[in-house]
Amino acid sequence: MASGNNDTTPLYCGSGMDNFHTSYKNMHGYVSLVVCILGTIANTLNIIVLTRKEMRSPTNAILTGLAVADLAVMLEYMPYTVHDYILTDSLPREEKLSYSWACFIKFHSIFAQVLHTISIWLTVTLAVWRYIAVGYPQKNRLWCGMRTTIITITTAYVVCVLVVSPSLYLITAITEWMDQLDAQGKLINNIPMTQYVINYNNEMQSMVAALNATPSSLLQSNETQWFNVTTPLPQVVPTSLVARNVTVYRLYHSDLALHNVSLRNTTFLIYSVLIKLIPCIALTILSVRLILALLEAKRRRKKLTNKPAAASNVNGKSVVNGKAVERPRKNSKTLEKEKQTDRTTRMLLAVLLLFLITEFPQGIMGLLNVLLGDAFLMECYLRLSDLMDVLALINSSINFILYCSMSKQFRSTFTLLFRPKFLDKWLPVAQDELAATRADGLRSVVAAAPDNCHTMALHKQPQVVTLAATTTTTTQVTNL
């Protein structure tokens, strides 16, 4: 543990964490920029496809709200990563830390967290809706109708803004500093120019002096650790080493947060428990229930489609007690609907599991910030913040791949919207389209019959009429 002397030995994370942070920071800007560009394209396509009339459903409405939140996060993160990571070495210090950029950083810290919280709770809503659809299908229309879904999505947006924004706004403030640079432009020292920060540093200097005058056996290690880690006391630098002074602006703890540790801890609790851990626990429970419901539905279908145990098979028919019995079969429409339900559930399970992989570690680390104090924050959490950011961005951008790979309806709608028209003349006609074409041709011939005699002739020669109608119509479809 750190003590009254200036012992800087890591308490929780070793020097390897610093090495990882330094090496990854150099590539974080480019990695996150690529993820944001791809995520912007993917979420835009999600919104276009999911808002089509034929795709209208409560589940797709939630997925659309999720895509809107994720798209906003991507668009907002791009200027941040370009300025703070990619162009950081080429910008003058006064431009890199200007007042306007400090305002954007404050906006970024609130906006990104609010939108990410919205996407998290919409993911929870998605899991609840899907569980009701699978576990209580008879109540699905009543509990999860389109009107209820729209109200729930709107509520998620409004409540997340009201809960997250005030706490983040209160604990941060834009402060003015004077950076002392050497001849090579490297930072030697920074001196606060904002009055409440100056007053706070003076208070901390007095406390540190009092602690140093107290025998170490009487000191509480947690208090000493807090002073050593969080107090940015100004240093005395020889004037000969200072080449120039630059006025910069930084986002720093507000006056209220500096004097109120419980406010900072409350903010971390909101972040770790309300935003991360509770949704993760809820999603874990719902995911397990969804998997069990899928297995149960599969077992029921297998039981209905299997032969009776006491039945024998004669000429392709089930025979029970010497009598031929037709095996119970579901019509193809019902089977296809059940298969589509299972595919949708599996797709949403993949979305939920990806969310758990990326969000659960962040919730644990946020809770450890409150339990272990600022030493863990400085040594571990901040060192992994870039990695956690890119994981959250990947989570927000990969849903398009999941939809395409696991949803037949999504793929079909996407193909109809974005497939080049000139490919149609070379693509074979799908079997279902051919069957529909045949049915349409037959109906058109029946409708064109002028009297009963023609209708009788039609019934006498169904194969010839159907073939002629099909041949003509299929040619037209192929030439589109």
Side-chain angles (χ1 to χ4, degrees):
M1 297 289 289
S3 57
N5 53 15
N6 293 325
D7 184 11
T8 58
T9 303
L11 298 173
Y12 303 106
C13 300
S15 58
M17 189 66 70
D18 287 333
N19 297 333
F20 169 79
H21 172 70
T22 303
S23 60
Y24 175 72
K25 186 176 180 180
N26 296 328
M27 66 178 75
H28 174 74
Y30 299 98
V31 173
S32 58
L33 181 61
V34 170
V35 173
C36 285
I37 293 174
L38 295 178
T40 299
I41 297 172
N43 283 295
T44 302
L45 294 176
N46 285 342
I47 294 171
I48 294 174
V49 174
L50 294 172
T51 52
R52 301 293 296 179
K53 186 177 181 180
E54 61 271 20
M55 295 289 288
R56 181 179 172 84
S57 70
T59 297
N60 288 342
I62 299 174
L63 291 176
T64 304
L66 186 63
V68 170
D70 290 340
L71 176 62
V73 171
M74 299 290 171
L75 292 174
E76 190 274 336
Y77 199 87
M78 281 193 282
Y80 167 74
T81 191
V82 169
H83 186 282
D84 263 19
Y85 291 92
I86 298 177
L87 300 179
T88 182
D89 294 331
S90 60
L91 294 175
R93 193 167 188 82
E94 54 269 26
E95 183 178 344
K96 183 169 62 175
L97 298 174
S98 63
Y99 181 79
S100 59
W101 184 248
C103 293
F104 178 83
I105 291 297
K106 181 159 186 172
F107 167 77
H108 165 76
S109 64
I110 299 174
F111 181 84
Q113 191 59 65
V114 168
L115 266 296
H116 192 57
T117 305
I118 291 171
S119 66
I120 288 172
W121 281 103
L122 286 180
T123 305
V124 175
T125 304
L126 185 65
V128 173
W129 257 234
R130 200 65 212 161
Y131 176 70
I132 293 174
V134 174
Y136 304 94
Q138 69 278 7
K139 300 289 186 180
N140 188 36
R141 290 182 177 273
L142 178 62
W143 293 349
C144 306
M146 183 59 71
R147 183 173 181 273
T148 305
T149 302
I150 297 299
I151 293 174
T152 303
I153 295 171
T154 305
T155 303
Y157 271 82
V158 173
V159 171
C160 288
V161 171
L162 296 179
V163 171
V164 178
S165 299
S167 59
L168 293 178
Y169 182 83
L170 289 175
I171 67 169
T172 58
I174 298 173
T175 55
E176 182 180 353
W177 297 72
M178 184 177 68
D179 284 1
Q180 296 178 333
L181 308 178
D182 61 11
Q184 287 76 33
K186 294 183 178 180
L187 178 65
I188 301 175
N189 190 23
N190 48 21
I191 302 173
M193 306 297 291
T194 302
Q195 190 58 46
Y196 81 83
V197 180
I198 296 174
N199 295 338
Y200 179 76
N201 282 343
N202 292 335
E203 294 174 11
M204 292 300 101
Q205 283 182 319
S206 301
M207 290 184 180
V208 170
L211 287 170
N212 288 335
T214 305
S216 59
S217 59
L218 299 180
L219 292 176
Q220 294 183 3
S221 59
N222 288 338
E223 293 180 357
T224 311
Q225 167 191 321
W226 189 84
F227 286 127
N228 286 334
V229 172
T230 63
T231 308
L233 300 179
Q235 304 173 2
V236 178
V237 178
T239 308
S240 58
L241 297 178
V242 179
R244 66 190 184 103
N245 295 323
V246 178
T247 301
V248 297
Y249 298 88
R250 290 186 176 90
L251 193 64
Y252 193 67
H253 287 306
S254 64
D255 190 15
L256 180 63
L258 286 176
H259 293 90
N260 193 341
V261 180
S262 60
L263 176 62
R264 298 206 307 272
N265 289 340
T266 301
T267 303
F268 272 117
L269 283 174
I270 292 175
Y271 169 80
S272 61
V273 177
L274 185 62
I275 298 177
K276 301 291 183 180
L277 291 181
I278 291 179
C280 285
I281 293 172
L283 285 176
T284 301
I285 296 172
L286 289 169
S287 298
V288 172
R289 298 295 295 270
L290 277 173
I291 292 172
L292 294 177
L294 271 179
L295 295 176
E296 177 63 20
K298 185 176 180 180
R299 185 189 64 79
R300 285 200 306 266
R301 273 200 309 276
K302 186 176 180 180
K303 183 178 180 181
L304 287 173
T305 55
N306 280 343
K307 299 177 183 179
S312 60
N313 194 307
V314 178
N315 295 328
K317 293 185 177 181
S318 298
V319 178
V320 180
N321 297 327
K323 297 181 180 180
V325 178
E326 292 291 336
R327 288 173 54 193
R329 291 185 179 181
K330 295 185 178 182
N331 58 56
S332 58
K333 184 177 180 181
T334 303
L335 286 174
E336 179 59 29
K337 184 177 180 181
E338 290 184 352
K339 290 179 181 178
Q340 176 63 29
T341 300
D342 289 352
R343 285 195 295 266
T344 303
T345 304
R346 285 194 294 268
M347 178 192 73
L348 299 182
L349 271 174
V351 174
L352 302 183
L353 293 176
L354 179 65
F355 171 85
L356 288 174
I357 292 172
T358 56
E359 300 296 336
F360 196 72
Q362 297 183 42
I364 295 296
M365 294 189 69
L367 185 60
L368 290 175
N369 285 336
V370 179
L371 300 177
L372 302 180
D374 291 333
F376 181 85
L377 171 68
M378 301 298 293
E379 295 173 15
C380 303
Y381 187 86
L382 294 182
R383 297 291 183 266
L384 292 173
S385 59
D386 291 340
L387 180 62
M388 290 188 292
D389 279 353
V390 79
L391 287 177
L393 292 174
I394 292 173
N395 180 36
S396 299
S397 62
I398 205 171
N399 286 342
F400 176 78
I401 299 175
L402 295 177
Y403 301 159
C404 282
S405 62
M406 304 185 72
S407 174
K408 181 180 179 181
Q409 186 184 18
F410 187 94
R411 287 196 305 271
S412 300
T413 305
F414 177 79
T415 302
L416 289 174
L417 286 174
F418 297 103
R419 185 178 67 194
K421 300 300 181 184
F422 69 86
L423 292 178
D424 292 345
K425 62 180 66 176
W426 289 290
L427 291 176
V429 180
Q431 292 299 318
D432 54 349
E433 293 178 356
L434 186 57
T437 301
R438 288 177 177 173
D440 291 340
L442 181 59
R443 283 195 295 270
S444 63
V445 172
V446 173
D451 51 34
N452 293 334
C453 294
H454 288 83
T455 304
M456 292 290 291
L458 177 64
H459 287 295
K460 290 180 180 179
Q461 298 177 344
Q463 295 180 351
V464 176
V465 174
T466 304
L467 180 59
T470 303
T471 305
T472 304
T473 314
T474 303
T475 305
Q476 293 175 357
V477 172
T478 307
N479 291 333
L480 286 178

